[in-house]
Short mmCIF file of all heavy atoms in Angstrom, two decimals:
data_model
loop_
_atom_site.label_atom_id
_atom_site.label_comp_id
_atom_site.label_asym_id
_atom_site.label_seq_id
_atom_site.Cartn_x
_atom_site.Cartn_y
_atom_site.Cartn_z
N GLY Y 208 0.80 -1.20 0.00
CA GLY Y 208 0.00 0.00 0.00
C GLY Y 208 0.83 1.26 0.00
O GLY Y 208 2.02 1.25 0.35
N PHE Y 209 0.19 2.34 -0.41
CA PHE Y 209 0.80 3.67 -0.40
C PHE Y 209 0.42 4.38 0.88
O PHE Y 209 -0.77 4.53 1.19
CB PHE Y 209 0.34 4.49 -1.60
CG PHE Y 209 0.84 4.01 -2.92
CD1 PHE Y 209 0.08 3.15 -3.70
CD2 PHE Y 209 2.07 4.42 -3.40
CE1 PHE Y 209 0.54 2.71 -4.93
CE2 PHE Y 209 2.54 3.99 -4.62
CZ PHE Y 209 1.77 3.13 -5.39
N ALA Y 210 1.41 4.83 1.62
CA ALA Y 210 1.16 5.69 2.76
C ALA Y 210 0.85 7.10 2.28
O ALA Y 210 1.02 7.43 1.10
CB ALA Y 210 2.38 5.70 3.69
N VAL Y 211 0.38 7.93 3.19
CA VAL Y 211 0.08 9.32 2.84
C VAL Y 211 1.31 10.01 2.27
O VAL Y 211 1.20 10.82 1.34
CB VAL Y 211 -0.46 10.08 4.06
CG1 VAL Y 211 -0.65 11.57 3.73
CG2 VAL Y 211 -1.79 9.49 4.52
N SER Y 212 2.48 9.67 2.80
CA SER Y 212 3.73 10.26 2.34
C SER Y 212 4.12 9.81 0.94
O SER Y 212 5.01 10.40 0.33
CB SER Y 212 4.85 9.90 3.31
OG SER Y 212 5.11 8.51 3.29
N GLY Y 213 3.47 8.77 0.44
CA GLY Y 213 3.85 8.18 -0.83
C GLY Y 213 4.74 6.96 -0.69
O GLY Y 213 4.98 6.26 -1.68
N ARG Y 214 5.22 6.72 0.49
CA ARG Y 214 6.02 5.53 0.74
C ARG Y 214 5.21 4.28 0.47
O ARG Y 214 4.02 4.21 0.79
CB ARG Y 214 6.52 5.54 2.18
CG ARG Y 214 7.28 4.28 2.60
CD ARG Y 214 7.67 4.35 4.06
NE ARG Y 214 8.31 3.13 4.51
CZ ARG Y 214 8.71 2.90 5.75
NH1 ARG Y 214 8.53 3.83 6.68
NH2 ARG Y 214 9.29 1.75 6.07
N ILE Y 215 5.85 3.29 -0.10
CA ILE Y 215 5.20 2.03 -0.39
C ILE Y 215 5.61 1.00 0.66
O ILE Y 215 6.79 0.82 0.94
CB ILE Y 215 5.57 1.51 -1.78
CG1 ILE Y 215 5.14 2.52 -2.86
CG2 ILE Y 215 4.92 0.16 -2.04
CD1 ILE Y 215 5.58 2.15 -4.26
N ASN Y 216 4.62 0.36 1.23
CA ASN Y 216 4.86 -0.68 2.21
C ASN Y 216 4.47 -2.04 1.64
O ASN Y 216 3.39 -2.19 1.06
CB ASN Y 216 4.05 -0.41 3.49
CG ASN Y 216 4.46 0.87 4.17
OD1 ASN Y 216 5.65 1.12 4.38
ND2 ASN Y 216 3.49 1.70 4.53
N TYR Y 217 5.34 -3.02 1.81
CA TYR Y 217 5.08 -4.39 1.38
C TYR Y 217 5.19 -5.33 2.56
O TYR Y 217 6.05 -5.15 3.44
CB TYR Y 217 6.07 -4.85 0.32
CG TYR Y 217 5.93 -4.20 -1.04
CD1 TYR Y 217 6.77 -3.16 -1.42
CD2 TYR Y 217 4.98 -4.65 -1.94
CE1 TYR Y 217 6.66 -2.58 -2.66
CE2 TYR Y 217 4.86 -4.07 -3.19
CZ TYR Y 217 5.71 -3.03 -3.55
OH TYR Y 217 5.59 -2.45 -4.80
N ALA Y 218 4.34 -6.33 2.58
CA ALA Y 218 4.53 -7.41 3.53
C ALA Y 218 5.82 -8.15 3.20
O ALA Y 218 6.17 -8.31 2.02
CB ALA Y 218 3.35 -8.37 3.49
N ASP Y 219 6.52 -8.59 4.22
CA ASP Y 219 7.78 -9.30 3.99
C ASP Y 219 7.60 -10.51 3.09
O ASP Y 219 8.48 -10.85 2.30
CB ASP Y 219 8.40 -9.73 5.32
CG ASP Y 219 8.96 -8.57 6.11
OD1 ASP Y 219 9.20 -7.50 5.54
OD2 ASP Y 219 9.17 -8.75 7.34
N SER Y 220 6.46 -11.15 3.19
CA SER Y 220 6.22 -12.37 2.44
C SER Y 220 6.08 -12.15 0.94
O SER Y 220 6.16 -13.11 0.17
CB SER Y 220 4.96 -13.07 2.98
OG SER Y 220 3.82 -12.24 2.85
N VAL Y 221 5.86 -10.90 0.51
CA VAL Y 221 5.66 -10.64 -0.91
C VAL Y 221 6.74 -9.75 -1.52
O VAL Y 221 6.71 -9.52 -2.73
CB VAL Y 221 4.27 -10.01 -1.18
CG1 VAL Y 221 3.17 -10.85 -0.55
CG2 VAL Y 221 4.21 -8.58 -0.67
N LYS Y 222 7.66 -9.28 -0.71
CA LYS Y 222 8.72 -8.42 -1.23
C LYS Y 222 9.52 -9.13 -2.32
O LYS Y 222 9.89 -10.29 -2.17
CB LYS Y 222 9.66 -7.98 -0.10
CG LYS Y 222 9.07 -6.96 0.84
CD LYS Y 222 10.07 -6.55 1.92
CE LYS Y 222 9.49 -5.49 2.84
NZ LYS Y 222 10.42 -5.12 3.92
N GLY Y 223 9.74 -8.41 -3.39
CA GLY Y 223 10.46 -8.97 -4.51
C GLY Y 223 9.59 -9.72 -5.49
O GLY Y 223 10.06 -10.06 -6.59
N ARG Y 224 8.35 -10.00 -5.12
CA ARG Y 224 7.44 -10.73 -5.99
C ARG Y 224 6.25 -9.89 -6.44
O ARG Y 224 5.77 -10.05 -7.56
CB ARG Y 224 6.93 -11.99 -5.30
CG ARG Y 224 8.03 -12.97 -4.91
CD ARG Y 224 7.44 -14.29 -4.41
NE ARG Y 224 6.64 -14.12 -3.20
CZ ARG Y 224 5.34 -14.41 -3.10
NH1 ARG Y 224 4.70 -14.91 -4.15
NH2 ARG Y 224 4.70 -14.24 -1.96
N PHE Y 225 5.75 -9.03 -5.56
CA PHE Y 225 4.58 -8.21 -5.86
C PHE Y 225 5.00 -6.76 -6.05
O PHE Y 225 5.93 -6.28 -5.40
CB PHE Y 225 3.56 -8.26 -4.72
CG PHE Y 225 2.87 -9.58 -4.53
CD1 PHE Y 225 3.29 -10.72 -5.20
CD2 PHE Y 225 1.80 -9.68 -3.66
CE1 PHE Y 225 2.65 -11.94 -5.01
CE2 PHE Y 225 1.15 -10.88 -3.46
CZ PHE Y 225 1.57 -12.01 -4.13
N THR Y 226 4.28 -6.06 -6.92
CA THR Y 226 4.53 -4.65 -7.16
C THR Y 226 3.20 -3.90 -7.20
O THR Y 226 2.32 -4.25 -7.98
CB THR Y 226 5.28 -4.41 -8.48
OG1 THR Y 226 6.51 -5.14 -8.48
CG2 THR Y 226 5.57 -2.93 -8.66
N ILE Y 227 3.08 -2.88 -6.35
CA ILE Y 227 1.89 -2.04 -6.36
C ILE Y 227 2.19 -0.79 -7.16
O ILE Y 227 3.30 -0.27 -7.14
CB ILE Y 227 1.45 -1.68 -4.93
CG1 ILE Y 227 0.09 -0.99 -4.93
CG2 ILE Y 227 2.49 -0.83 -4.21
CD1 ILE Y 227 -0.51 -0.78 -3.54
N SER Y 228 1.21 -0.29 -7.88
CA SER Y 228 1.40 0.90 -8.69
C SER Y 228 0.09 1.65 -8.85
O SER Y 228 -1.00 1.06 -8.76
CB SER Y 228 1.97 0.54 -10.07
OG SER Y 228 1.07 -0.28 -10.79
N ARG Y 229 0.20 2.93 -9.06
CA ARG Y 229 -0.96 3.75 -9.39
C ARG Y 229 -1.32 3.57 -10.85
O ARG Y 229 -0.44 3.53 -11.71
CB ARG Y 229 -0.66 5.22 -9.11
CG ARG Y 229 -0.37 5.54 -7.66
CD ARG Y 229 -1.63 5.75 -6.87
NE ARG Y 229 -1.35 6.28 -5.54
CZ ARG Y 229 -2.28 6.62 -4.64
NH1 ARG Y 229 -3.56 6.49 -4.94
NH2 ARG Y 229 -1.93 7.07 -3.46
N GLY Y 230 -2.59 3.46 -11.13
CA GLY Y 230 -3.02 3.40 -12.50
C GLY Y 230 -3.01 4.77 -13.14
O GLY Y 230 -2.98 5.80 -12.47
N SER Y 231 -3.01 4.77 -14.47
CA SER Y 231 -3.02 6.04 -15.19
C SER Y 231 -4.34 6.77 -15.02
O SER Y 231 -4.39 8.00 -15.04
CB SER Y 231 -2.72 5.82 -16.67
OG SER Y 231 -3.67 4.94 -17.26
N ALA Y 232 -5.41 6.02 -14.86
CA ALA Y 232 -6.72 6.62 -14.62
C ALA Y 232 -6.81 7.11 -13.18
O ALA Y 232 -6.11 6.63 -12.29
CB ALA Y 232 -7.83 5.62 -14.92
N GLN Y 233 -7.68 8.03 -12.96
CA GLN Y 233 -7.85 8.61 -11.64
C GLN Y 233 -8.37 7.57 -10.65
O GLN Y 233 -9.26 6.78 -10.96
CB GLN Y 233 -8.82 9.79 -11.71
CG GLN Y 233 -8.91 10.61 -10.44
CD GLN Y 233 -9.83 11.81 -10.60
OE1 GLN Y 233 -10.86 11.72 -11.28
NE2 GLN Y 233 -9.46 12.91 -9.99
N ASN Y 234 -7.77 7.58 -9.47
CA ASN Y 234 -8.22 6.74 -8.36
C ASN Y 234 -8.21 5.25 -8.71
O ASN Y 234 -9.19 4.53 -8.48
CB ASN Y 234 -9.61 7.16 -7.90
CG ASN Y 234 -9.66 8.60 -7.44
OD1 ASN Y 234 -8.73 9.08 -6.78
ND2 ASN Y 234 -10.73 9.30 -7.78
N THR Y 235 -7.10 4.81 -9.26
CA THR Y 235 -6.91 3.39 -9.55
C THR Y 235 -5.60 2.92 -8.95
O THR Y 235 -4.66 3.69 -8.78
CB THR Y 235 -6.92 3.10 -11.06
OG1 THR Y 235 -5.79 3.75 -11.68
CG2 THR Y 235 -8.20 3.60 -11.70
N VAL Y 236 -5.54 1.64 -8.65
CA VAL Y 236 -4.32 1.04 -8.13
C VAL Y 236 -4.25 -0.40 -8.62
O VAL Y 236 -5.28 -1.09 -8.71
CB VAL Y 236 -4.27 1.12 -6.59
CG1 VAL Y 236 -5.40 0.32 -5.95
CG2 VAL Y 236 -2.91 0.68 -6.06
N ASN Y 237 -3.04 -0.85 -8.94
CA ASN Y 237 -2.84 -2.19 -9.45
C ASN Y 237 -1.89 -2.97 -8.55
O ASN Y 237 -1.11 -2.39 -7.80
CB ASN Y 237 -2.27 -2.15 -10.87
CG ASN Y 237 -3.15 -1.41 -11.84
OD1 ASN Y 237 -4.37 -1.56 -11.82
ND2 ASN Y 237 -2.55 -0.61 -12.70
N LEU Y 238 -1.96 -4.27 -8.65
CA LEU Y 238 -1.04 -5.14 -7.93
C LEU Y 238 -0.58 -6.23 -8.88
O LEU Y 238 -1.37 -7.10 -9.26
CB LEU Y 238 -1.70 -5.76 -6.70
CG LEU Y 238 -0.79 -6.62 -5.82
CD1 LEU Y 238 0.27 -5.75 -5.14
CD2 LEU Y 238 -1.60 -7.39 -4.79
N GLN Y 239 0.69 -6.15 -9.28
CA GLN Y 239 1.29 -7.17 -10.12
C GLN Y 239 1.87 -8.25 -9.21
O GLN Y 239 2.73 -7.95 -8.37
CB GLN Y 239 2.37 -6.57 -11.01
CG GLN Y 239 3.12 -7.59 -11.86
CD GLN Y 239 2.24 -8.23 -12.91
OE1 GLN Y 239 1.52 -7.53 -13.62
NE2 GLN Y 239 2.29 -9.54 -13.01
#
């Protein structure tokens, strides 16, 4: 998830495997 500061937090179990990103459309978020 994105913190208010913009920092991205990942669970240890998914680090290196999952990537969160903002979508190009307004108010969207993706998880690869």
Side-chain angles (χ1 to χ4, degrees):
F209 291 94
V211 174
S212 66
R214 175 183 176 183
I215 300 175
N216 297 311
Y217 290 100
D219 288 341
S220 60
V221 308
K222 287 181 178 178
R224 299 188 298 119
F225 291 10
T226 303
I227 189 172
S228 62
R229 297 276 189 177
S231 58
Q233 189 177 37
N234 301 320
T235 64
V236 64
N237 301 318
L238 184 68
Q239 177 67 48

